Amino acid sequence: MTLPTNALLAETRKRIVPPRTTPPPAPAPRAAVPPLAPGALPGLGHAAALLRDPLGFLGSLARHGGVVRIRLGPRTVCVVTDARLVHTLLVALAHDCPRGAVQDTLRTAFGDGLLMSEGQAHRDRRRIIQPAFGPDRTAGYLAVMHQVTEERAGRWRPGQVLDVAKEMNHLALEIVTRSLFDARLSEDATLAFHRALPDLVKGQIVQSLYPHPALARLPLPVNRRFDAAVRVLNRVVDQAVNGRPGSGRPDQRGGTLPALLRAATDPATGRPLTEADVRSEAITMFGAGTETVSTTLTWLLDELLRHPEVEARVLAELDEHLPAGTTPTPEALARLTYTRGVTQEVVRLHAPNAFLMRTARVPVDLGPYRIPAGTELLYSLTALHRDPLRYDDPSSFRPERWQDGGGLGRPSFLPFGAGKHKCIGEAFAWAELTVAAAAILRRWRPVAVPGARAREVVWTTVQAHGLRVRLAPRGSAAPSAAVSSASAASAPAGRDVAADAAVTASTTGLAPAGAGTDRPHSAGCPLTATATRPGAPAAVPLPRPPAELRAAADRHADWAVRHGLLAPTELPDYRAYALHELIGHAFPRARGTDLDLLVDMLGWFTVLDDRFDGPPGRRPAEAHALVDPLISALDGDARPAAPGDLLLTAWQELWDRQRRSTSPDWRARAAREWRACLATFPAEAEHRARGTVPALGLGLADTMRLRRHGSCVYPFMNILERVHGADAPAALHAEPALHRLRANTADAATLINDLYSLEREERQSAAAFNTVLTLQRVRGCTRSRAVRAVRTRVGTLHRENERLRRDLGRRHPAGRWYLDGTRELVAGVQAWTSTSDRYLVPGDRAR
């Protein structure tokens, strides 16, 4: 039978195209319209909120979406709050989204320079300028940066109070002028430039927010000041472009930026660039290379004042890789890995660009959002770099987040932009920050003037205003612990550590132990390895009847068993540690509930520390699982502990007891230092897991920092105030010298601990973070020499701290009790370690 034609066709289709067994794919969803931010006011929109608190407002928008609409008067602007979408905007959509209103203001004033141009004109101009920032120029620029900073810092005087922002502005301008233009500006021109900058910046931001461009032509005060600033900047740049050489070397002028521009031709016309073109590019370099760099340098000095332990590590690294008096080289800068991390963290936390803009000239898709043509797109690098989804604890200054190159190249870190418009002078700026900071810190020790710290002032950039410091020559105060320890123990290979110790001993009166006394005996003092020494600080005698301490020990044992930290069968060995005697020596005035709190804290920490002798000490995931809930409790996470999480339950109670009847400042300081202490446990586990243990990828300075914070001494120094019943004076806490004293105290206690725990840690299977063992590996020296070097270091720390106490006591007599308490703490550690069974090798106790 012959099938009808239609049936035949249907049967054929079945054989060629199998019947569908699944429904057809749903049509792609339409791109979403960005949500409108709440809080718009009639007529003003969000302009009032933006002007009142720019960074707070922009940072708050991320909770509403990756792109959020705001209204500025009659204009609607889309704010891009997601770092990955900003990266897409700058790279994939760079052609479709050229620069916006903020840059247009400067284009009107200065022409189409590299900063303002687009498309082929931008590419052509970038090719012309690129040789000025080539690697062959780097060494010469570094020498000029170093010379300029040394000259400027050499004009400062001891005791002088420095307006840091103003001085860094002058320094950055001079570096740009001498490096790129080989010119010297007159003092009048320099002052005129700096007076004009604020009016230029304010005019730029105000004019970019005008609802209509015609308003920029009205004779408003802000417009008149902006126009006057443009004229001033043109005159200053003319002086740099056409002025006298700065180096006095005729051959140098041929390689300057103006010379490159004048020798080039415009690819579009085949004609040489005009003098207007040269001026436009010069103004671009002056603006981009001065304000943002000087602002970052100001924030850098401010953060180092707030974090003296970071300053100490920077100085230690400079001592090792860029000795005083040497001209920086690219190779030397590449070795300053910690210093680079510090500058990166300053740039992250204080990203100079409060906001930048692009304009969609065609409809574009940005993530899930559809952006119509003509839409203005705004993004804030400052807000992006403080995004808690991208950066843990984003408001804290934490240079360690950049270790091992962390964060470099990721889309969330965009200090110099991305894509075809990425800043051409990025390498120049990083070098300038490092070289200038190194030269300043080598020569001067800035001391903060009370009440004169940096504060954020936001225009188009986040400026640092108000920081004033009093200058002291770098050698006028005792060096910080990290600097000294790195100098003593991180000497070049082949340097004799024992010889160093002998030299130190001969100049200080500390006699090192003999060659045969490489084990720290319990009857001897770790400072001298002798039973007594004239002039040495005597161990503090037990300040209360032994029965009172024994009663505290009994209450602590009951507390530990009740919380499940110890089984009753473990108590005899645990009691042999005699932790209550350490508290008795170190806190002679603690009584009652304060005494119980101290003993419980020390016992809890000892149990935690012992956990890391096992698998958590080698397995980062287990270490984090143990420690992260403890840190969360400090941050206000009061969730109930999971069943069996006995350490957390005990810790929540301890943290509550510590905070009772204390000030908000004390609680914030205690939480910060407990957090740093607890974080060292997973950090050490990660180093062991990666094999970057001390001397095998981890330097001595980093080891000392981990040990300093991991020793629990900082939190116990805080308890001095709780026992006293009042905070130490705020002015004392603001003293950098007190930060050095506290660091020295923690280091001394740590090193004493390392001496007495040495034999036990030598027998551990996991790599021990012990300074004696680190010295043996780093220097290839004998055990005896390493022990002597550590003893010598403890003595040095003691003498430095006594000098610091005398100086601080004279200036802050109301805080002498706190200064004395730090001495008692170290003396207590010294007295206790000589008698406790805590550091006996397993099996020795039975003998």
Side-chain angles (χ1 to χ4, degrees):
M1 181 180 68
T2 304
L3 292 171
T5 303
N6 290 343
L8 181 63
L9 290 173
E11 186 65 27
T12 303
R13 288 194 186 100
K14 286 181 183 179
R15 294 174 183 172
I16 297 174
V17 182
R20 288 187 185 275
T21 58
T22 58
R30 298 182 60 185
V33 176
L36 179 68
L41 299 175
L44 292 175
H46 300 91
L50 179 64
L51 292 173
R52 182 172 58 249
D53 181 12
L55 298 182
F57 174 69
L58 293 173
S60 72
L61 297 177
R63 70 173 70 105
H64 303 296
V67 180
V68 181
R69 288 179 295 138
I70 63 172
R71 291 190 178 129
L72 303 177
R75 296 162 57 188
T76 296
V77 176
C78 283
V79 181
V80 188
T81 67
D82 184 280
R84 294 186 182 276
L85 295 184
V86 171
H87 192 268
T88 300
L89 175 67
L90 300 182
V91 179
L93 300 179
H95 177 72
D96 293 332
C97 298
R99 290 177 167 132
V102 175
Q103 286 89 343
D104 286 344
T105 302
L106 294 181
R107 179 186 289 114
T108 302
F110 298 122
D112 284 322
L114 184 67
L115 186 63
M116 281 73 75
S117 59
E118 293 287 346
Q120 188 61 44
H122 176 82
R123 288 192 290 273
D124 292 339
R125 196 59 60 86
R126 193 177 183 98
R127 287 194 199 99
I128 293 171
I129 295 173
Q130 188 65 59
F133 296 96
D136 57 318
R137 302 289 184 98
T138 302
Y141 288 155
L142 294 179
V144 175
M145 294 170 184
H146 178 71
Q147 181 182 354
V148 170
T149 310
E150 286 286 346
E151 289 174 0
R152 189 151 204 99
R155 294 196 288 269
W156 302 340
R157 293 291 176 263
Q160 178 181 348
V161 174
L162 211 65
D163 182 329
V164 177
K166 178 180 177 182
E167 197 65 25
M168 294 305 102
N169 266 315
H170 284 265
L171 175 62
L173 177 63
E174 192 170 358
I175 286 175
V176 168
T177 306
R178 300 260 296 268
S179 298
L180 297 179
F181 298 86
D182 188 38
R184 291 180 184 269
L185 294 177
S186 67
E187 189 64 22
D188 288 344
T190 300
L191 292 174
F193 179 89
H194 292 300
R195 282 196 296 264
L197 267 183
D199 290 333
L200 183 79
V201 172
K202 292 175 185 177
Q204 179 190 12
I205 184 63
V206 171
Q207 290 187 13
S208 69
L209 295 176
Y210 281 154
H212 194 281
L215 291 175
R217 296 192 292 271
L218 295 179
L220 302 173
V222 66
N223 293 340
R224 291 201 303 270
R225 288 193 293 268
F226 177 81
D227 293 340
V230 170
R231 290 192 294 272
V232 168
L233 261 64
N234 274 308
R235 288 199 301 269
V236 171
V237 169
D238 283 342
Q239 186 181 125
V241 170
N242 303 310
R244 61 187 178 89
S247 66
R249 293 172 48 196
D251 60 320
Q252 184 78 5
R253 297 292 286 178
T256 63
L257 180 62
L260 283 173
L261 293 168
R262 287 171 174 143
T265 57
D266 186 339
T269 64
R271 298 173 182 172
L273 299 184
T274 66
E275 284 302 304
D277 293 327
V278 174
R279 181 188 296 109
S280 178
E281 297 304 343
I283 287 176
T284 295
M285 295 305 157
F286 270 96
T290 300
E291 186 191 10
T292 55
V293 171
S294 66
T295 298
T296 303
L297 275 171
T298 304
W299 284 121
L300 173 60
L301 292 179
D302 185 73
E303 291 293 353
L304 293 181
L305 285 171
R306 297 176 190 273
H307 301 87
E309 73 283 359
V310 174
E311 180 192 43
R313 288 189 67 188
V314 168
L315 287 166
E317 188 173 65
L318 293 175
D319 284 341
E320 185 174 0
H321 298 300
L322 191 61
T326 60
T327 299
T329 63
E331 296 75 20
L333 292 192
R335 292 192 290 269
L336 300 176
T337 55
Y338 181 75
T339 303
R340 177 62 177 263
V342 171
T343 57
Q344 286 169 325
E345 181 67 351
V346 171
V347 170
R348 181 201 67 81
L349 186 56
H350 303 289
N353 298 108
F355 63 86
L356 297 165
M357 297 183 78
R358 294 288 187 270
T359 301
R361 63 181 182 84
V362 296
V364 295
D365 288 333
L366 197 53
Y369 304 102
R370 184 66 170 171
I371 309 298
T375 301
E376 293 178 291
L377 295 149
L378 181 150
Y379 61 97
S380 168
L381 292 183
T382 312
L384 292 175
H385 290 173
R386 297 177 183 179
D387 184 353
L389 295 178
R390 304 292 180 186
Y391 295 95
D392 181 44
D393 195 11
S395 60
S396 295
F397 180 72
R398 290 172 46 193
E400 62 271 15
R401 75 173 83 238
W402 301 99
Q403 289 177 351
D404 302 322
L408 278 180
R410 63 185 177 188
S412 60
F413 187 58
L414 302 166
F416 293 92
K420 66 179 184 179
H421 289 294
K422 187 175 184 180
C423 177
I424 197 172
E426 176 180 6
F428 184 96
W430 284 123
E432 183 178 358
L433 289 171
T434 305
V435 171
I440 291 169
L441 294 173
R442 285 281 196 202
R443 186 184 288 260
W444 296 104
R445 181 173 57 86
V447 179
V449 174
R453 305 307 294 264
R455 67 183 187 278
E456 290 183 339
V457 175
V458 183
W459 290 99
T460 51
T461 57
V462 184
Q463 300 170 10
H465 284 198
L467 178 62
R468 292 188 298 131
V469 299
R470 191 177 302 279
L471 297 171
R474 175 55 65 180
S476 66
S480 65
V483 175
S484 302
S485 60
S487 303
S490 296
R495 183 172 173 180
D496 190 338
V497 178
D500 286 340
V503 171
T504 305
S506 68
T507 58
T508 62
L510 279 173
T517 57
D518 53 328
R519 184 180 189 273
H521 300 291
S522 61
C525 171
L527 274 69
T528 63
T530 59
T532 59
R533 177 176 62 82
V540 178
L542 289 177
R544 56 179 67 74
E548 186 176 350
L549 281 177
R550 285 198 297 269
D554 291 339
R555 290 191 296 272
H556 169 65
D558 291 340
W559 180 86
V561 171
R562 186 171 66 253
H563 281 278
L565 301 178
L566 294 169
T569 56
E570 295 174 305
L571 283 178
D573 285 346
Y574 179 80
R575 281 181 176 275
Y577 296 167
L579 298 177
H580 60 288
E581 292 184 8
L582 191 158
I583 297 301
H585 285 298
F587 297 87
R589 281 163 289 282
R591 295 288 191 278
T593 57
D594 286 336
L595 180 61
D596 287 344
L597 172 63
L598 286 160
V599 178
D600 289 346
M601 281 174 54
L602 182 59
W604 177 88
F605 185 81
T606 301
V607 172
L608 175 69
D609 185 68
D610 284 348
R611 291 283 183 92
F612 286 88
D613 288 342
R618 301 181 296 277
R619 300 172 186 169
E622 292 186 27
H624 278 288
L626 198 58
V627 166
D628 289 353
L630 306 175
I631 294 177
S632 294
L634 295 168
D635 296 330
D637 184 356
R639 69 182 189 277
D645 198 347
L646 304 175
L647 269 172
L648 177 57
T649 302
W651 171 243
Q652 288 172 334
E653 186 216 44
L654 277 175
W655 180 232
D656 183 64
R657 287 163 62 190
Q658 289 177 67
R659 292 182 297 170
R660 290 174 193 167
S661 304
T662 56
S663 69
D665 286 344
W666 188 94
R667 293 195 293 271
R669 186 164 60 250
R672 181 175 64 249
E673 291 173 352
W674 267 120
R675 192 179 297 115
C677 171
L678 295 171
T680 60
F681 289 105
E684 290 184 5
E686 288 170 358
H687 281 300
R688 291 190 185 101
R690 292 200 306 261
T692 55
V693 293
L696 297 175
L698 186 67
L700 184 75
D702 286 329
T703 303
M704 283 303 300
R705 182 174 180 275
L706 277 175
R707 300 286 294 135
R708 176 187 301 160
H709 288 284
S711 65
C712 197
V713 175
Y714 275 105
F716 275 86
M717 280 190 280
N718 288 333
I719 297 292
L720 288 169
E721 295 168 283
R722 196 186 189 290
V723 171
H724 185 74
D727 289 10
L732 176 60
H733 272 300
E735 285 273 4
L738 182 70
H739 294 287
R740 287 198 303 275
L741 185 145
R742 283 163 57 88
N744 287 357
T745 300
D747 284 354
T750 299
L751 293 173
I752 292 169
N753 179 287
D754 285 351
L755 287 167
Y756 280 93
S757 64
L758 174 60
E759 188 164 326
R760 190 180 77 163
E761 291 178 339
E762 283 174 325
R763 303 191 187 187
Q764 289 180 1
S765 58
F769 284 66
N770 183 297
T771 311
V772 176
L773 298 177
T774 302
L775 281 174
Q776 287 181 257
R777 296 190 197 105
V778 170
R779 303 296 161 230
C781 62
T782 66
R783 188 176 190 269
S784 301
R785 289 178 175 177
V787 167
R788 287 200 296 270
V790 172
R791 288 176 183 148
T792 300
R793 179 64 189 145
V794 174
T796 301
L797 291 171
H798 165 71
R799 289 188 296 278
E800 289 176 358
N801 270 5
E802 287 306 307
R803 289 196 295 271
L804 289 169
R805 287 188 188 97
R806 287 194 297 271
D807 182 49
L808 289 168
R810 283 194 297 269
R811 296 203 302 274
H812 305 281
R816 282 202 177 98
W817 58 269
Y818 183 88
L819 303 173
D820 291 340
T822 61
R823 180 194 296 113
E824 291 166 346
L825 182 56
V826 175
V829 171
Q830 177 186 322
W832 173 77
T833 50
S834 67
T835 57
S836 173
D837 286 354
R838 166 72 176 159
Y839 300 115
L840 288 180
V841 175
D844 283 4
R845 188 177 297 116
R847 296 196 295 270

